[in-house]
Amino acid sequence: MSSEGIKRWSIDCKATVKIGDFSRGGQTRGDNRASDHDMGCEEKYIPCGIVDEDSASLNITFGSSYKTSDFIVDTIEAKWDALDEQEKAETSLIQIKMDNGPESSGRRTQFLYRMVQLADIINKPVQLLYYPPYPSKYNPIERCWGILELKWNGTKLTNAETMLEWAKQMTWKGLHPVVELSRNMYEKGISLGQAAMRAVEARLKRDPKLPKYDILINPASTS
């Protein structure tokens, strides 16, 4: 398939960000004091990032609930919705690179169910490409997380606003990210029954040689 019209998105969720007077691996700014233990942190956020490998645009959504399949797919759908109509029309395929984490793996029933739904909604084919366990560090979004860590290294993220503002100040290939906060609440542990999953599996075109790592989902209109 020609690369023209392909959206190549690299996706990952970063480790939970704890809000409070906590040390973050560097000399804390301001009074140079910070707690070295979280002592029962109550406010936490899950960053989910998507970087476009061609345009270098970066979107980071901080979720205030749990890292779930639904949170990840909602973040992908929001990225698509933010494209202008010409970009959508010119897109022939969305190619998504990610690690094989438990919330978005090639065997996670709820994730695959939602991705089939998404392909139908946007009426575009979606290809899921997974990194094996150790090479996942080469996923481009991982380098974005490293830059974000350096940006707020030593900063006391005492509230959500401070966290968001520091994230907005980082740059990836000269561009500032689009940063959003999600207040949606997600339920953990959602999974499909065997009958429902058989219907989903029928919509997946798994590569014969790499069935867990290369999955193509065509929209219903072209299946």
Side-chain angles (χ1 to χ4, degrees), residues 185-205:
M185 300 304 296
Y186 294 98
E187 182 180 347
K188 295 192 293 183
I190 297 177
S191 61
L192 271 65
Q194 292 184 357
M197 190 54 203
R198 282 195 294 269
V200 171
E201 192 65 37
R203 295 286 306 278
L204 310 179
K205 185 178 180 181

Side-chain angles (χ1 to χ4, degrees), residues 139-173:
N139 197 0
I141 188 66
E142 294 290 349
R143 295 193 286 277
C144 298
W145 294 141
I147 293 171
L148 177 58
E149 285 290 349
L150 288 173
K151 187 65 184 178
W152 66 28
N153 182 27
T155 301
K156 291 194 288 186
L157 305 180
T158 55
N159 52 54
E161 290 72 22
T162 302
M163 174 189 69
L164 296 173
E165 288 306 313
W166 276 103
K168 290 176 183 177
Q169 291 178 35
M170 70 164 281
T171 57
W172 169 252
K173 296 188 176 180

